[in-house]
Amino acid sequence: MKKFNCFLPALSHGFQSPGKLSLSTISSPDCSLMPPVPLSAEPIPSSDTIDLEGFKSRVCHSISKQHWTALKREIGDLGYHKLLEFLFQWNVDEELLLRFFKWSEKENGSPHNLEFCCRLLHLLSNAKKYDKIRSLLHSMVNRENDSSCSVIFHALTVSSDRPKFNPVIADMLVSAYAKNSRIDMAVEAFKRSGDYGIRLSVLSCNSLLNELVKSNDIKTLELVYKETIRRRIPLNHVSFNTVIHGVCKAGKLRKAVDLAADMESWGCSPNVITYNTLIDGHCKMGKIGKMYKAESLLKEMVTNRISPTQVTFNILIDGYCKDGNSLAALRVFDEMKKKGFSPNAITYNSLINGLSKEGKIEEALDLNTQMQGCNVQPTIVTYNELIYGFCRVGKMIEAKNVLDEVIEKGLAPSLVTYNSLIDGYCKLGKMEEALELQAKMSQRGLCCDVSTYNSLIAGFCRAGNTKGASRLLDEMGENNIQADVITYNILIGELCRRGESRKALKLLDEMSELGVDPKHVTYNILMDGFCEEGNLRVALSLRERMERGGRKANVATYNVLIKGLCRKGKMEEANRLLNELLEKGLVPNHVTYDLVRDEMIEKGFMPDIEGHLYDVVQ
DNA sequence: TTAGGGTTAG
């Protein structure tokens, strides 16, 4: 077993046995049973009249009956720490000890030292009181100044009377950290368990894997997964499905599919959750032809005799809606009903959202009526989507009426409810109404988030009200709300529009300093700003900077640069970029076509390209 | 212990 020679501050006191206490002590009549008792402590009697058995009995009785006032009288000046030492030495029942342990921590206002925690954990594990261990570890891992894992593992080792402590404690420690979202510590406990040769259960590994997925730490997820395989921990469906989910979230779809195939060799065939996860991964993270791939996964699961469920259909419906294809979503919706699955609130919400995004508010309202007719109650999400739908088409009165309906029905409007409405007003330049709603949401106890501020700042920028935008930026700072990439995109865009691209570039540097990751659009807006100013050199250098940061130029990047080059009359270079776009397998969009038509052809330049783009131009 | 729904920029 690996031993650690590190400094152990938490163990630097209190490891001495009661017999070695620095406080003046007297010996009890029977040293093996009785603790040493301080001479001066009241109400412990003096040595000649002492009744230690009586003291022990009164103390234990008070704890078991929870007579805390009486117990306090018994303890006197002895102190909780000393009494705890005696309780350990008296070999009292572990539940009694735990009860005093918890009460005295509360009374003291500070936790007991790590040695006591570990000794108690050993007692509880010997008695197989696993729920109690779980609860004790839960409070241990939620402490502000808790010890590092190496200190805890060392303490567990030295406080145990056996060569190896019960591995269940380490297993539950990993789980406790994971379930309390202390991911770094959970990973550390996972590693230490390996160092100590402790075989963890699949349950605690799954907790850890799941928390890593939730926190989007896919790199660590993959490391932990590989390690579980190396340690031959018998992973189950939940483990594989969780890892596949994480890998999908990171956009590594091919890897996710490979993992699903690898499951077989571990005795786990992909199940309905595996397929649903893969389909959802493709819907959310796939690129061109993603819905085709999602459908082919559906076919594959049916071929493998795994029946799709309501969730499978919901995933597909939402996928088509997010892809801007509500028609296909409605086709799946019909298919789902034909196969005997009842749509639920999630089904309807996905469809209502998809229709709203496409500006089809009337159809969205019809579906809302339909869902209520089918006894599916609309949720706050449904109402938020209807509000969003009305806002999309500028129908603010109707949107506001939905909010009133929500309140009338006794439902609680959410942050998203207000954010959607505020954004609706901002987009129409109705800043007073937007600010009024911001005040109303605060009155309801809802705090603005970064989205609220982004909508408002963008609104003020559109209205040319720099002061208003600046005031909100200050308010964000005062409320400790961190600007995100969208905030920066808005500000960079505004500076570029004002012809202040240099200042905008400084914001890009600020983002890097603050750890806010710029996206494609951030660079594209900036490049556009420099192109508009005729500074192609900086625009092209930004493309290089973007690619160095791991983001390859997308169609929008090419469009911005081609436009800039055309404006400068650099038609040969523009044409070269156009060809490069096609060579890279990128699909030109309507902006590209417009550019070709308006900028290139009008300037008497016939693009020298092959394929469909040329055909379209013709 | 694993899978599905809502707002902000362009």
Side-chain angles (χ1 to χ4, degrees):
Chain A
M1 186 184 289
K2 192 173 174 179
K3 293 281 180 186
F4 298 92
N5 298 317
C6 49
F7 176 55
L8 305 172
L11 306 179
S12 59
H13 63 284
F15 245 120
Q16 49 208 337
S17 74
K20 292 177 191 166
L21 291 173
S22 55
L23 202 69
S24 309
T25 56
I26 57 164
S27 299
S28 63
D30 179 355
C31 289
S32 65
L33 292 172
M34 289 291 118
V37 179
L39 270 173
S40 57
E42 286 297 335
I44 310 282
S46 62
S47 57
D48 46 345
T49 58
I50 195 164
D51 174 17
L52 287 171
E53 274 300 334
F55 174 65
K56 175 183 169 185
S57 156
R58 287 193 303 277
V59 162
C60 291
H61 179 80
S62 297
I63 298 171
S64 68
K65 297 288 176 197
Q66 302 185 52
H67 292 162
W68 304 122
T69 316
L71 181 69
K72 272 188 193 174
R73 264 201 313 274
E74 289 293 341
I75 295 171
D77 293 335
L78 184 65
Y80 302 126
H81 184 88
K82 291 287 178 292
L83 183 59
L84 193 60
E85 283 185 352
F86 295 156
L87 289 169
F88 273 115
Q89 209 197 12
W90 289 342
N91 288 325
V92 297
D93 175 79
E94 63 283 340
E95 294 222 19
L96 191 100
L97 221 156
L98 178 65
R99 183 173 290 170
F100 174 73
F101 185 93
K102 284 184 174 170
W103 172 80
S104 53
E105 275 196 339
K106 214 172 158 189
E107 281 293 305
N108 238 352
S110 63
H112 288 297
N113 66 36
L114 186 57
E115 181 222 348
F116 282 146
C117 290
C118 292
R119 286 168 73 183
L120 186 50
L121 285 168
H122 292 313
L123 283 182
L124 292 167
S125 78
N126 292 343
K128 299 192 187 323
K129 301 270 171 76
Y130 297 126
D131 280 347
K132 308 282 179 194
I133 297 177
R134 211 170 276 127
S135 136
L136 186 58
L137 286 171
H138 175 85
S139 51
M140 263 176 81
V141 306
N142 275 311
R143 284 176 192 165
E144 272 181 23
N145 298 312
D146 59 350
S147 311
S148 73
C149 279
S150 54
V151 170
I152 295 175
F153 274 71
H154 182 84
L156 281 168
T157 307
V158 296
S159 60
S160 172
D161 52 8
R162 296 174 186 181
K164 285 188 176 183
F165 61 86
N166 191 336
V168 170
I169 300 173
D171 195 63
M172 288 186 168
L173 184 64
V174 173
S175 241
Y177 279 128
K179 286 180 178 164
N180 286 282
S181 299
R182 302 210 48 196
I183 319 287
D184 291 348
M185 292 295 273
V187 173
E188 191 57 32
F190 173 84
K191 286 181 185 164
R192 290 286 162 210
S193 301
D195 294 340
Y196 276 73
I198 295 166
R199 193 180 169 91
L200 293 172
S201 73
V202 66
L203 233 68
S204 63
C205 289
N206 287 351
S207 292
L208 174 57
L209 293 169
N210 192 34
E211 286 305 315
L212 287 165
V213 174
K214 277 196 203 156
S215 60
N216 272 321
D217 187 353
I218 309 305
K219 208 174 164 187
T220 313
L221 173 84
E222 288 177 316
L223 285 174
V224 170
Y225 165 69
K226 276 183 194 154
E227 182 61 17
T228 53
I229 298 281
R230 196 192 65 79
R231 290 189 204 166
R232 302 193 170 279
I233 295 168
L235 299 182
N236 60 17
H237 276 101
V238 177
S239 333
F240 285 105
N241 291 344
T242 307
V243 177
I244 289 170
H245 185 202
V247 173
C248 281
K249 270 177 96 177
K252 298 176 175 178
L253 299 176
R254 182 169 286 185
K255 195 164 190 180
V257 172
D258 288 347
L259 271 167
D262 289 348
M263 284 173 75
E264 304 269 9
S265 56
W266 290 86
C268 296
S269 300
N271 62 11
V272 65
I273 297 182
T274 319
Y275 275 103
N276 286 349
T277 308
L278 284 173
I279 294 172
D280 189 55
H282 280 80
C283 287
K284 290 201 171 85
M285 300 302 294
K287 292 185 178 152
I288 305 157
K290 61 181 185 177
M291 293 314 294
Y292 175 80
K293 283 180 191 159
E295 292 262 11
S296 70
L297 278 164
L298 173 70
K299 279 186 194 130
E300 186 188 306
M301 77 187 275
V302 173
T303 310
N304 290 340
R305 297 178 179 279
I306 297 165
S307 300
T309 61
Q310 186 192 49
V311 176
T312 320
F313 287 104
N314 284 351
I315 289 168
L316 277 169
I317 288 170
D318 192 62
Y320 278 118
C321 285
K322 296 264 161 56
D323 202 29
N325 191 349
S326 61
L327 268 177
L330 287 164
R331 177 185 52 78
V332 179
F333 180 59
D334 286 338
E335 198 183 318
M336 171 185 188
K337 286 188 283 188
K338 267 185 212 153
K339 292 228 157 79
F341 290 102
S342 307
N344 62 5
I346 296 177
T347 325
Y348 284 105
N349 288 348
S350 286
L351 283 165
I352 291 172
N353 187 245
L355 292 164
S356 295
K357 275 203 162 79
E358 291 175 33
K360 297 174 178 173
I361 184 66
E362 293 302 327
E363 284 182 57
L365 286 168
D366 285 346
L367 266 179
N368 181 38
T369 314
Q370 197 189 112
M371 75 187 277
Q372 295 189 53
C374 294
N375 256 335
V376 180
Q377 287 311 305
T379 65
I380 186 65
V381 177
T382 322
Y383 290 110
N384 289 347
E385 287 165 347
L386 290 174
I387 288 174
Y388 169 73
F390 279 124
C391 290
R392 283 279 295 198
V393 292
K395 293 190 170 179
M396 294 312 295
I397 295 171
E398 288 85 347
K400 182 73 174 29
N401 285 343
V402 178
L403 170 65
D404 295 339
E405 192 185 328
V406 166
I407 295 168
E408 266 171 38
K409 286 198 168 181
L411 272 170
S414 67
L415 182 58
V416 179
T417 320
Y418 282 99
N419 282 352
S420 299
L421 269 166
I422 288 172
D423 190 63
Y425 282 122
C426 288
K427 289 222 166 82
L428 291 174
K430 297 188 173 183
M431 299 311 294
E432 271 184 30
E433 285 91 336
L435 290 175
E436 217 172 275
L437 263 179
Q438 186 200 14
K440 275 191 183 159
M441 74 186 268
S442 299
Q443 282 165 17
R444 291 189 77 93
L446 287 166
C447 298
C448 297
D449 69 353
V450 67
S451 298
T452 326
Y453 283 107
N454 286 345
S455 291
L456 289 166
I457 292 167
F460 277 117
C461 287
R462 277 187 219 105
N465 186 340
T466 319
K467 270 191 185 170
S470 301
R471 190 184 57 73
L472 284 161
L473 276 171
D474 292 342
E475 197 180 300
M476 265 180 94
E478 284 158 18
N479 293 336
N480 257 335
I481 295 170
Q482 187 72 50
D484 67 1
V485 62
I486 298 179
T487 324
Y488 278 101
N489 290 349
I490 295 164
L491 298 174
I492 288 172
E494 177 59 15
L495 286 169
C496 288
R497 265 190 298 280
R498 285 200 244 146
E500 294 180 81
S501 304
R502 287 281 163 195
K503 278 191 189 168
L505 189 57
K506 280 190 181 162
L507 283 181
L508 184 71
D509 297 332
E510 187 183 301
M511 288 174 81
S512 311
E513 283 161 21
L514 293 174
V516 181
D517 195 22
K519 292 197 172 180
H520 269 110
V521 65
T522 319
Y523 288 103
N524 293 346
I525 298 169
L526 253 176
M527 282 180 218
D528 196 38
F530 279 103
C531 284
E532 286 289 318
E533 285 179 14
N535 197 340
L536 274 166
R537 194 181 53 81
V538 179
L540 290 166
S541 74
L542 274 165
R543 178 195 162 167
E544 280 172 25
R545 181 169 168 180
M546 176 173 98
E547 296 199 331
R548 274 202 306 275
R551 291 190 185 274
K552 287 183 183 167
N554 63 11
V555 180
T557 318
Y558 279 101
N559 290 347
V560 166
L561 293 173
I562 290 169
K563 188 176 78 179
L565 288 164
C566 287
R567 292 229 172 130
K568 276 266 185 180
K570 298 192 171 182
M571 308 310 287
E572 293 285 349
E573 273 187 65
N575 194 46
R576 190 185 56 75
L577 275 187
L578 199 52
N579 279 310
E580 191 182 303
L581 180 152
L582 292 166
E583 277 162 17
K584 288 197 172 171
L586 292 169
V587 181
N589 57 24
H590 70 278
V591 181
T592 326
Y593 297 140
D594 289 349
L595 273 168
V596 171
R597 188 183 59 240
D598 300 343
E599 303 281 350
M600 290 192 161
I601 298 175
E602 279 177 22
K603 285 184 180 162
F605 191 88
M606 183 56 74
D608 175 28
I609 53 173
E610 300 288 332
H612 68 287
L613 181 60
Y614 189 70
D615 296 337
V616 169
V617 174
Q618 279 183 324

